[in-house]
Coordinates of all heavy atoms in Angstrom, one line a residue:
A335 N 41.3 7.6 6.2 CA 41.6 7.7 4.8 C 40.5 7.1 3.9 O 40.1 7.6 2.9 CB 43.0 7.1 4.5
I336 N 39.9 6.0 4.4 CA 38.8 5.4 3.7 C 37.5 6.2 3.8 O 36.8 6.5 2.7 CB 38.6 3.9 4.1 CG1 39.9 3.2 3.8 CG2 37.4 3.3 3.5 CD1 39.8 1.6 4.3
R337 N 37.3 6.8 4.9 CA 36.1 7.7 5.0 C 36.3 8.8 4.0 O 35.3 9.3 3.3 CB 36.0 8.3 6.3 CG 35.6 7.3 7.5 CD 34.9 8.1 8.6 NE 35.7 9.0 9.3 CZ 36.5 8.8 10.3 NH1 36.9 7.5 10.5 NH2 37.2 9.7 10.8
R338 N 37.5 9.5 3.9 CA 37.8 10.5 3.0 C 37.6 10.1 1.6 O 36.9 10.8 0.9 CB 39.3 10.9 3.2 CG 39.9 12.0 2.4 CD 40.2 13.3 3.0 NE 39.1 13.9 3.7 CZ 38.3 14.8 3.1 NH1 38.4 15.0 1.8 NH2 37.2 15.2 3.7
K339 N 38.0 9.0 1.2 CA 37.8 8.4 -0.1 C 36.1 8.4 -0.4 O 35.8 8.6 -1.6 CB 38.4 7.1 -0.4 CG 38.1 6.4 -1.6 CD 39.0 5.1 -1.7 CE 38.4 4.2 -2.8 NZ 39.3 3.0 -3.1
A340 N 35.4 7.9 0.5 CA 34.0 7.7 0.4 C 33.4 9.2 0.2 O 32.6 9.2 -0.6 CB 33.4 7.0 1.5
V341 N 33.9 10.1 1.1 CA 33.3 11.5 1.0 C 33.6 12.0 -0.5 O 32.8 12.7 -1.0 CB 33.9 12.4 2.1 CG1 33.5 13.8 1.8 CG2 33.3 11.9 3.5
Q342 N 34.9 11.8 -0.9 CA 35.3 12.3 -2.2 C 34.4 11.8 -3.3 O 34.0 12.5 -4.3 CB 36.8 12.0 -2.5 CG 37.8 12.9 -1.8 CD 37.5 14.3 -2.2 OE1 37.2 14.7 -3.1 NE2 37.9 15.2 -1.1
H343 N 34.0 10.5 -3.2 CA 33.3 9.9 -4.2 C 31.8 10.7 -4.4 O 31.3 10.9 -5.4 CB 33.0 8.4 -3.9 CG 31.9 7.8 -4.7 ND1 31.9 7.7 -6.1 CD2 30.7 7.4 -4.4 CE1 30.9 7.0 -6.5 NE2 30.0 7.0 -5.6
H344 N 31.3 10.9 -3.2 CA 30.1 11.8 -3.2 C 30.3 13.1 -3.7 O 29.3 13.7 -4.4 CB 29.4 11.8 -1.8 CG 28.9 10.3 -1.3 ND1 29.7 9.4 -0.7 CD2 27.6 9.8 -1.6 CE1 28.9 8.3 -0.6 NE2 27.7 8.5 -1.0
L345 N 31.3 13.8 -3.4 CA 31.6 15.1 -3.9 C 31.7 15.0 -5.5 O 31.2 15.9 -6.2 CB 32.7 15.7 -3.2 CG 32.5 15.9 -1.7 CD1 34.0 16.7 -1.2 CD2 31.5 16.8 -1.4
Q346 N 32.3 13.9 -5.9 CA 32.4 13.7 -7.4 C 30.9 13.5 -8.0 O 30.7 14.1 -9.2 CB 33.2 12.4 -7.8 CG 34.7 12.8 -7.7 CD 35.6 11.5 -7.7 OE1 35.0 10.3 -7.8 NE2 36.8 11.7 -7.4
C347 N 30.2 12.9 -7.1 CA 28.7 12.7 -7.7 C 28.0 14.1 -7.8 O 27.3 14.3 -8.8 CB 28.0 11.7 -6.8 SG 28.3 10.1 -6.9
L348 N 28.4 15.0 -7.0 CA 27.8 16.3 -7.1 C 28.3 17.1 -8.3 O 27.5 17.8 -8.9 CB 28.2 17.1 -5.9 CG 27.6 16.7 -4.4 CD1 28.0 17.7 -3.3 CD2 26.0 16.5 -4.4
D349 N 29.6 16.7 -8.7 CA 30.1 17.4 -9.9 C 29.3 16.7 -11.1 O 28.9 17.6 -12.1 CB 31.7 17.0 -10.1 CG 32.4 18.0 -9.2 OD1 31.9 19.1 -8.9 OD2 33.5 17.6 -8.9
V350 N 29.0 15.5 -11.1 CA 28.3 14.9 -12.2 C 26.9 15.5 -12.2 O 26.4 15.9 -13.4 CB 28.0 13.3 -11.9 CG1 27.1 12.7 -12.9 CG2 29.5 12.6 -12.0
M351 N 26.3 15.9 -11.0 CA 25.0 16.3 -11.0 C 25.0 17.8 -11.8 O 24.0 18.3 -12.3 CB 24.5 16.5 -9.6 CG 24.1 15.2 -9.1 SD 23.9 15.1 -7.2 CE 22.6 16.1 -7.0
R352 N 26.1 18.6 -11.5 CA 26.2 19.8 -12.1 C 26.3 19.7 -13.6 O 25.8 20.6 -14.3 CB 27.5 20.5 -11.6 CG 27.3 21.0 -10.1 CD 28.4 21.8 -9.5 NE 28.1 21.9 -8.1 CZ 28.8 21.2 -7.1 NH1 29.8 20.4 -7.4 NH2 28.3 21.3 -5.9
A353 N 27.0 18.6 -14.1 CA 27.0 18.3 -15.6 C 25.7 17.9 -16.2 O 25.4 18.2 -17.4 CB 28.1 17.5 -15.9
T354 N 25.0 17.1 -15.4 CA 23.7 16.6 -16.0 C 22.5 17.4 -15.7 O 21.5 17.2 -16.2 CB 23.6 15.2 -15.3 OG1 23.4 15.3 -13.9 CG2 24.5 14.2 -15.7
G355 N 22.6 18.4 -14.7 CA 21.4 19.1 -14.3 C 20.6 18.3 -13.2 O 19.4 18.8 -13.0
S356 N 21.2 17.4 -12.8 CA 20.4 16.5 -11.7 C 20.2 17.3 -10.2 O 21.2 18.1 -9.9 CB 21.2 15.1 -11.4 OG 21.2 14.5 -12.6
K357 N 19.3 17.1 -9.6 CA 19.1 17.9 -8.3 C 19.3 17.0 -7.0 O 19.5 17.5 -5.9 CB 17.8 18.6 -8.3 CG 17.6 19.6 -9.3 CD 18.6 20.7 -9.2 CE 18.7 21.5 -10.5 NZ 20.1 22.1 -10.7
D358 N 19.0 15.6 -7.2 CA 19.0 14.7 -6.0 C 20.3 13.8 -6.1 O 20.6 13.1 -7.1 CB 17.8 13.9 -6.1 CG 16.6 14.6 -5.4 OD1 16.8 15.9 -5.0 OD2 15.5 14.0 -5.4
L359 N 21.1 13.8 -5.0 CA 22.1 12.8 -4.8 C 21.5 11.7 -3.9 O 21.0 12.0 -2.7 CB 23.4 13.4 -4.1 CG 24.4 12.4 -3.6 CD1 24.9 11.7 -4.8 CD2 25.4 13.3 -2.9
K360 N 21.3 10.5 -4.3 CA 20.8 9.4 -3.6 C 21.9 8.6 -2.9 O 22.7 8.0 -3.6 CB 19.8 8.5 -4.4 CG 19.3 7.2 -3.6 CD 17.9 7.1 -3.8 CE 17.5 6.5 -5.1 NZ 18.0 5.0 -5.3
I361 N 21.9 8.5 -1.6 CA 23.0 7.8 -0.9 C 22.3 6.6 -0.2 O 21.3 6.6 0.5 CB 23.5 8.6 0.2 CG1 24.1 10.0 -0.4 CG2 24.7 7.9 1.0 CD1 24.8 10.8 0.6
W362 N 22.7 5.3 -0.7 CA 22.4 4.1 0.0 C 23.8 3.6 0.5 O 24.6 3.4 -0.4 CB 21.6 3.2 -0.8 CG 21.6 1.8 0.0 CD1 20.9 1.6 1.0 CD2 22.5 0.6 -0.3 NE1 21.2 0.3 1.6 CE2 22.1 -0.2 0.7 CE3 23.3 0.4 -1.3 CZ2 22.7 -1.6 1.0 CZ3 23.9 -1.1 -1.1 CH2 23.5 -1.8 -0.2
L363 N 24.0 3.3 1.7 CA 25.2 2.8 2.2 C 25.0 1.4 2.5 O 24.1 0.9 3.2 CB 25.6 3.5 3.6 CG 25.9 5.0 3.4 CD1 26.3 5.5 4.8 CD2 27.0 5.3 2.4
P364 N 26.1 0.5 2.1 CA 26.1 -0.8 2.3 C 26.7 -1.1 3.8 O 26.9 -2.2 4.2 CB 27.1 -1.4 1.3 CG 28.1 -0.3 1.1 CD 27.3 1.0 1.2
D365 N 27.0 0.0 4.5 CA 27.7 -0.1 5.7 C 27.0 -0.8 6.9 O 25.8 -0.6 6.9 CB 28.1 1.3 6.3 CG 29.1 2.1 5.2 OD1 28.9 1.8 4.0 OD2 29.8 2.9 5.7

Side-chain angles (χ1 to χ4, degrees):
I336 296 178
R337 286 206 302 282
R338 174 113 302 277
K339 174 173 165 172
V341 168
Q342 280 306 326
H343 168 65
H344 286 90
L345 297 178
Q346 276 161 10
C347 286
L348 296 181
D349 284 337
V350 170
M351 289 162 68
R352 289 179 189 110
T354 56
S356 304
K357 297 301 170 204
D358 281 359
L359 171 65
K360 175 138 71 71
I361 305 181
W362 172 71
L363 294 181
D365 298 29

